[in-house]
Amino acid sequence: MKTNHKIWLTFLAGASLAGCADQEIDNIYVEKPASIAQYEYLNSYGNLKDYLSQRTGINPDFKLGVGVSAADYNKFGQVYRVTNANFHQITAGNAMKYASIVNDNGEMDFSTVTAFVDAASKAGVEVYGHTLCWHEQQNVKYLNSLIADKELDIDPNEKLEVEDAIHEFKNDSKFPFYVMGFEPEIINGILTADYPGSWYQFFVMDGLSTVPGRTYKITAKVKGSKAGSMNVQLGNWGALPEKQMEFSEEWSECSVMIDGVTTESSFVVFQPGTYDGKLEIEWVKLSHHESPAVEVESEVTFKTYTDGPFPFFAMGCEPPVINGCIHFVPTGDWSQFFILPGGENPLTEGDYVLYLDITASKNAEGVQLTMQNGWGDDAQNLSVPVPISAGDNVVRLKFSGVTGGNYDVILKPQTTDATLDVRSVKVCKVEKLNKIPVTPEEKAEILTAEMERWIKGMMEATAGQVKAWDVVNEAISGGPWGQRYDLQHAATASGDQSNKFYWQDYLGDNFARIPVKFARQYFAENGGNPDELKLFVNDYNLESDWDNNQKLRSLIEWIKQWESDGETVIDGIGSQMHITYYMNPETQASKEAHVVEMFKLMAESGKLVRITELDMGICDEDGNTIKTEDVTFEQQQAMAQYYKFVIDKYFEIIPVPQQYGICQWAQTDSPDGSGWRPGEPIGLWDLNYSRKPAYGGFAEGLAGKSQE
């Protein structure tokens, strides 16, 4: 019968604190269960990095590292103290990756990185950089925008004005937008604003779909009781570029050009401010200029309806289908309902138009249509107003900047008092014939420049303080069998590719030379000593037994190819080693044999050797993962011995000059719901920072002998 034990430790005054090495935590007494005795030996251990002094035949520059969340470390709390007490070097889990720093407009924010590096430097701890070039956790939207098809160069004076949206106040009986302290009147179809005696402003358009980076023109048919000017804003809260619009006492079409738009969903606000006259506005239009082109619309989805109950997921409103139409009768409540669920219209990135065949009992005011990809904070939500007159309408609605995905189409009558019958909805993709593809050579040039900009920015932010990097991460694929493995490529990838961008697809097989070159150049230019910079190629499954370490053999061959130009130098190889202890003795023996083989191959390469992301789970004799709450004391002891085995073999096989370091990836066990090995006992501490037997095995491996 299996007996489960949970670790309950008495924290002893003057000892190393079994839960962590933080001497600032008050002594705590917890009543210990009967099983405590088998764990009490952990109280005798000291801080991990101190055990290295007990081992002979070790590189004096060896670094004991750990993976941390930069945000947690920067809080200067328990993670900060435990990390500093036990390790020489830290690696940020995500904070130094491209997607964490580069936004959709290409702007780079290194504030978390600089705070992390500064905090570590003040604590006397080194930072290991992870990672400069990787295909995952990339800002795919921005990178794809750099190499998107380009418009043909023509005379700018020949560009055409394209209308994005127009609001005519003749369709309104009252002010249709959110009121910001002042509410204009609608008089005979004219928006009328009399000076209220103090500074004032008001919306004139809302729910606009805009493309970041595009220059827009805002035009209004307007007149004042006297000549004047007002401020015009376009964008969204916190991002509102603006211009001054002048007007006269006569009706005229007045325009302003606004660039610097950064939002995908926008509104327009007029700010007369202290203009002390009366303003009248007939309509407001949003437009932009494009090179002359023919737009071709390709149908993606055409949806009709079958009589019966509401056919889609109900959001508080369930209009029936009558005579082939979704029949909406207003109730006075705010309303919305699906007209096309996302699973039926997967869209790729680009611009779209939607045709809504709809009949209204009267002019319908305040109706909107939304295309929504996903739900929650990460959803893309594109909304436009729907102009609907009494009778039959086929309304054409434009949606620009669609990023791709399964878009739900939602009609929002909101509080309109018109009865609506939705007959059909058609979605078409718009392709423009005024663009030409960027050539492969141009894409390589553009992305090389972006790689340079990215690495230069990182080296400027870290200012020579980060002296070792994963310069290329996870480049090698898992095949073809029997020969040198290929590089990873988008064409052969599987799984979710939404945040993946394969630089090698554009820069070629020798792409690794590019980040190596820029890392060395900009490290030196930003205060770093070139002799101290160490660049590693990092990958996983290098210890794998199912292919007899073929992935590592392939990586070594690729490094030889990258270095064959006589200029590129790769200092080391990093092995991630996300390993598992197997209760099946034969399986475990095979795993251990191939760990030994991995170290032999790495030693023969002559490169520095770093275990970059060491953590360990456990499987039962049938190969099933054992979760943290089910692992027994005896199984924890087996895991501890495997840690000791790995570390012992590292020091036994890797020559002293090649011993760069070992990085434990997980300080604590993984919580349920984590994105990495959820619910598994992968840490040296449990989630409460109590030491586990794995801690003891790790310490014994570092010391090179058993601790009594």
Side-chain angles (χ1 to χ4, degrees):
M1 178 177 178
K2 180 174 72 174
T3 303
N4 294 336
H5 303 283
K6 292 184 178 179
I7 303 177
W8 295 82
L9 298 177
T10 302
F11 290 89
L12 304 177
S16 298
L17 299 183
C20 71
D22 174 17
Q23 300 297 331
E24 299 177 20
I25 298 177
D26 292 337
N27 294 331
I28 302 173
Y29 176 78
V30 181
E31 183 179 354
K32 60 184 178 182
S35 61
I36 189 62
Q38 57 193 352
Y39 292 99
E40 284 188 326
Y41 76 97
L42 295 171
N43 288 326
S44 65
Y45 284 95
N47 298 327
L48 289 175
K49 64 185 180 183
D50 296 339
Y51 285 94
L52 291 166
S53 63
Q54 300 179 31
R55 177 177 279 278
T56 58
I58 182 173
N59 188 330
D61 295 324
F62 177 88
K63 309 288 193 305
L64 180 62
V66 71
V68 297
S69 160
D72 288 343
Y73 187 83
N74 288 349
K75 292 176 182 176
F76 300 101
Q78 187 176 37
V79 171
Y80 175 83
R81 295 191 295 269
V82 172
T83 298
N84 295 344
N86 286 276
F87 302 96
H88 306 117
Q89 191 178 65
I90 53 178
T91 305
N94 293 301
M96 299 178 79
K97 295 171 182 173
Y98 186 90
S100 298
I101 291 167
V102 182
N103 69 15
D104 289 350
N105 298 318
E107 299 162 341
M108 297 189 290
D109 181 0
F110 291 101
S111 57
T112 299
V113 172
T114 55
F116 179 63
V117 173
D118 288 347
S121 178
K122 291 174 182 177
V125 176
E126 295 184 15
V127 171
Y128 183 93
H130 178 71
T131 175
L132 293 178
C133 183
W134 192 23
H135 62 272
E136 294 206 35
Q137 290 182 247
Q138 305 296 287
N139 190 316
V140 175
K141 181 178 180 179
Y142 175 67
L143 290 170
N144 281 334
S145 74
L146 294 178
I147 56 175
D149 294 351
K150 60 184 179 181
E151 291 189 4
L152 294 169
D153 292 329
I154 63 168
D155 184 347
N157 296 324
E158 296 182 14
K159 288 198 171 184
L160 302 177
E161 184 174 348
V162 178
E163 181 182 302
D164 295 281
I166 187 169
H167 191 98
E168 298 178 290
F169 293 101
K170 68 181 181 181
N171 296 321
D172 300 318
S173 60
K174 62 179 181 179
F175 183 65
F177 304 117
Y178 173 73
V179 176
M180 299 186 291
F182 173 80
E183 183 173 358
E185 296 182 88
I186 305 296
I187 301 175
N188 297 324
I190 302 296
L191 184 147
T192 305
D194 276 316
Y195 179 55
S198 59
W199 191 96
Y200 70 110
Q201 62 181 345
F202 49 87
F203 278 77
V204 291
M205 301 186 86
D206 196 7
L208 302 171
S209 177
T210 50
V211 177
R214 176 177 285 172
T215 296
Y216 284 94
K217 180 181 180 182
I218 297 172
T219 306
K221 187 173 182 181
V222 58
K223 76 170 182 175
S225 59
K226 61 179 182 178
S229 66
M230 60 184 166
N231 199 41
V232 178
Q233 294 182 327
L234 170 64
N236 214 317
W237 303 115
L240 284 166
E242 56 191 34
K243 285 286 180 67
Q244 283 288 313
M245 176 185 285
E246 296 183 352
F247 51 85
S248 69
E249 300 173 61
E250 303 295 330
W251 281 107
S252 56
E253 296 183 10
C254 304
S255 300
V256 294
M257 304 296 292
I258 294 184
D259 52 19
V261 174
T262 60
T263 55
E264 295 178 344
S265 179
S266 301
F267 52 73
V268 177
V269 170
F270 282 0
Q271 296 178 325
T274 57
Y275 172 74
D276 58 354
K278 181 173 75 172
L279 274 174
E280 295 180 275
I281 302 170
E282 183 176 329
W283 50 259
V284 181
K285 180 174 68 175
L286 180 73
S287 61
H288 67 277
H289 289 87
E290 294 182 358
S291 300
V294 176
E295 291 189 346
V296 178
E297 298 179 3
S298 302
E299 182 179 308
V300 176
T301 304
F302 181 74
K303 183 67 177 177
T304 57
Y305 311 100
T306 303
D307 288 5
F310 183 67
F312 308 124
F313 174 76
M315 297 185 291
C317 180
E318 301 179 60
V321 180
I322 300 174
N323 297 325
C325 299
I326 298 178
H327 182 66
F328 169 77
V329 178
T331 63
D333 295 329
W334 192 95
S335 301
Q336 64 178 351
F337 54 88
F338 280 77
I339 58 174
L340 181 60
E344 298 187 25
N345 68 322
L347 306 181
T348 56
E349 184 176 2
D351 297 334
Y352 288 81
V353 293
L354 184 147
Y355 291 91
L356 181 65
D357 190 347
I358 188 169
T359 300
S361 62
K362 57 193 296 187
N363 290 349
E365 299 176 358
V367 180
Q368 285 196 333
L369 188 136
T370 296
M371 292 179 63
Q372 182 166 314
N373 181 20
W375 298 84
D377 294 339
D378 296 330
Q380 186 190 30
N381 188 315
L382 304 175
S383 296
V384 296
V386 184
I388 303 174
S389 302
D392 295 336
N393 300 262
V394 177
V395 185
R396 184 179 186 269
L397 304 170
K398 296 185 67 174
F399 291 88
S400 302
V402 170
T403 58
N406 291 321
Y407 284 77
D408 298 310
V409 180
I410 303 167
L411 187 66
K412 298 179 178 179
Q414 303 194 99
T415 56
T416 186
D417 59 354
T419 297
L420 304 176
D421 285 285
V422 181
R423 187 167 293 103
S424 67
V425 59
K426 180 170 69 171
V427 180
C428 298
K429 186 168 186 180
V430 179
E431 298 287 349
K432 297 181 179 181
L433 301 184
N434 65 336
K435 294 183 178 181
I436 57 173
V438 178
T439 67
E441 294 77 14
E442 289 172 325
K443 289 180 180 180
E445 182 179 353
I446 291 167
L447 291 173
T448 297
E450 175 59 15
M451 179 68 72
E452 179 176 12
R453 186 181 78 96
W454 153 245
I455 293 178
K456 179 182 180 182
M458 180 63 81
M459 293 302 172
E460 289 175 346
T462 53
Q465 296 182 79
V466 180
K467 302 174 183 178
W469 294 84
D470 288 330
V471 67
V472 172
N473 196 46
E474 298 179 3
I476 311 302
S477 71
W481 292 92
Q483 53 186 293
R484 185 183 76 172
Y485 289 172
D486 292 335
L487 300 179
Q488 294 209 56
H489 293 286
T492 54
S494 59
D496 182 11
Q497 300 295 303
S498 60
N499 73 343
K500 297 180 181 179
F501 186 90
Y502 295 82
W503 295 84
Q504 53 266 41
D505 285 353
Y506 306 97
L507 302 180
D509 285 353
N510 292 319
F511 78 108
R513 295 171 179 171
I514 297 171
V516 169
K517 171 186 174 182
F518 291 139
R520 296 197 184 281
Q521 176 183 342
Y522 289 109
F523 178 79
E525 289 184 13
N526 287 279
N529 180 347
D531 294 335
E532 295 179 341
L533 180 62
K534 305 301 178 188
L535 300 179
F536 288 77
V537 176
N538 182 46
D539 221 317
Y540 59 92
N541 285 346
L542 304 186
E543 77 284 354
S544 54
D545 59 346
W546 58 83
D547 67 349
N548 193 31
N549 304 100
Q550 182 60 25
K551 189 173 187 181
L552 173 57
R553 299 173 198 273
S554 299
L555 176 58
I556 292 170
E557 290 303 312
W558 275 108
I559 291 174
K560 290 178 181 177
Q561 176 174 318
W562 295 332
E563 292 185 322
S564 66
D565 62 353
E567 297 179 3
T568 302
V569 176
I570 293 167
D571 299 290
I573 299 174
S575 176
Q576 292 187 15
M577 291 199 77
H578 300 296
I579 58 177
T580 299
Y581 183 86
Y582 289 86
M583 297 303 295
N584 182 302
E586 293 182 1
T587 302
Q588 181 60 23
S590 176
K591 301 297 180 183
E592 292 179 3
H594 285 83
V595 168
V596 170
E597 183 65 18
M598 178 190 73
F599 286 140
K600 289 180 178 178
L601 290 168
M602 295 173 86
E604 292 170 3
S605 74
K607 299 296 183 183
L608 294 175
V609 176
R610 183 177 192 259
I611 300 177
T612 57
E613 300 180 20
L614 178 62
D615 58 22
M616 186 188 302
I618 184 169
C619 283
D620 63 21
E621 291 192 359
D622 296 322
N624 301 310
T625 298
I626 302 174
K627 296 293 187 177
T628 302
E629 67 264 22
D630 297 320
V631 68
T632 67
F633 176 75
E634 292 76 15
Q635 290 167 341
Q636 292 185 70
Q637 290 286 350
M639 295 173 72
Q641 287 304 307
Y642 193 21
Y643 269 119
K644 183 178 186 303
F645 171 85
V646 170
I647 297 171
D648 277 339
K649 292 301 179 184
Y650 175 93
F651 286 113
E652 174 187 321
I653 298 171
I654 304 302
V656 171
Q658 294 174 245
Q659 295 171 2
Y660 179 86
I662 295 174
C663 174
Q664 171 66 18
W665 196 237
Q667 290 193 37
T668 69
D669 294 337
S670 182
D672 291 330
S674 169
W676 179 249
R677 304 185 83 164
E680 292 191 48
I682 60 173
L684 304 183
W685 291 266
D686 67 15
L687 287 170
N688 295 316
Y689 273 92
S690 293
R691 289 175 183 161
K692 298 168 48 186
Y695 185 102
F698 202 99
E700 292 169 7
L702 295 175
K705 58 183 179 181
S706 296
Q707 301 296 300
E708 300 299 335

